[in-house]
Amino acid sequence: MLILYALPASAFCAKVRIVLRYKGLEWKELPPPGGYRTAEYKQHVVSGNLPALIDDGFLIADSEAIVEYLEEKHPTRALLPADLQDRARMRERGRFHDTRLEPQLRALFAHILPNDRDTDLNARQSQALTERLGQLAVMLGEDDLAFGLGDVGFPATCAWIDALTPVLGLTVVWPRRVRDYLARLGQVPAVATEMQGIRAAIDAWFQAKGLA
């Protein structure tokens, strides 16, 4: 059985779980041994990255590498289009999430607690997130791609943006096209199931921080 080192609230871990569910694969999910970023965990996964997947002794970390591996090993219910250019567009979308949108969200986490709040940072990140979401709207255009690997990161990341908005007083502007896109993704059963879990995990995270 596949072993997945993951955390419930991680958007990158959510990416992998969506793909696992979509492809009908079975897996056992474990927290990182010793905790995330610990020396003990790095004895298992040298990079310290989450998520990490073990498949019959083969270990690979980084969500994008994992989902590409799963797509190639289990091509049933394909998550990459057959057309060469469409595959490129799908990969472009996934890289945009990982390298453009999610890092703007991640910059907020060090300033969650009231004593650590940085109103200037929140304003800058609100603007940066708005810009990235606007760029995504343009990329989507009149979207004709079926659900695929490039989509699986957005639901959890966008759920986190929504969750942090009232807590930090963010002023993120959401293009209608992006909201419609997220609604379409939410109709995919694998996404819908994951989003139930990710929203519960986000709530638990806020409670643990004393912010609920």
Side-chain angles (χ1 to χ4, degrees):
M1 178 181 291
L2 296 167
I3 303 294
L4 180 68
Y5 289 138
L7 293 175
S10 164
F12 287 116
C13 296
K15 281 176 56 175
V16 176
R17 287 191 294 261
I18 288 171
V19 172
L20 289 166
R21 288 192 176 95
Y22 188 83
K23 290 183 174 293
L25 301 174
E26 294 185 1
W27 78 97
K28 181 178 181 180
E29 187 164 328
L30 299 173
Y36 181 39
R37 294 178 176 171
T38 64
E40 181 179 346
Y41 180 53
K42 289 179 181 178
Q43 291 178 359
H44 298 265
V45 179
V46 66
S47 67
N49 283 357
L50 280 177
L53 183 78
I54 303 175
D55 181 10
D56 193 24
F58 171 68
L59 185 147
I60 185 168
D62 188 279
S63 64
E64 196 70 7
I66 293 170
V67 298
E68 290 266 6
Y69 171 76
L70 292 172
E71 172 69 4
E72 292 183 0
K73 183 170 182 180
H74 304 280
T76 302
R77 301 203 77 196
L79 285 167
L80 284 174
D83 179 79
L84 175 63
Q85 293 184 354
D86 286 346
R87 289 201 305 275
R89 290 169 58 204
M90 184 59 74
R91 288 188 168 107
E92 177 189 33
R93 188 178 297 179
R95 303 301 192 273
F96 180 85
H97 168 268
D98 290 359
T99 67
R100 298 296 185 269
L101 179 62
E102 194 281 339
Q104 303 304 331
L105 166 68
R106 194 186 324 150
L108 296 165
F109 282 99
H111 303 275
I112 293 291
L113 297 179
N115 290 340
D116 298 327
R117 298 278 166 84
D118 183 336
T119 55
D120 289 338
L121 173 73
N122 293 342
R124 290 195 303 272
Q125 294 312 112
S126 293
Q127 182 176 357
L129 287 165
T130 296
E131 180 179 359
R132 295 306 190 204
L133 292 169
Q135 291 168 344
L136 175 60
V138 174
M139 289 176 63
L140 291 170
E142 300 301 326
D143 190 26
D144 60 347
L145 294 178
F147 175 72
L149 285 188
D151 300 312
V152 294
F154 289 103
T157 290
C158 291
W160 267 111
I161 296 171
D162 277 337
L164 291 179
T165 291
V167 174
L168 298 179
L170 304 179
T171 54
V172 179
V173 178
W174 289 82
R176 172 49 52 190
R177 183 175 287 165
V178 174
R179 285 297 193 191
D180 290 345
Y181 165 69
L182 293 171
R184 292 196 303 274
L185 297 184
Q187 295 174 5
V188 178
V191 175
T193 299
E194 178 60 28
M195 291 313 295
Q196 291 178 357
I198 202 76
R199 290 189 179 103
I202 290 172
D203 289 344
W205 189 88
F206 278 119
Q207 290 175 3
K209 295 290 185 182
L211 298 171

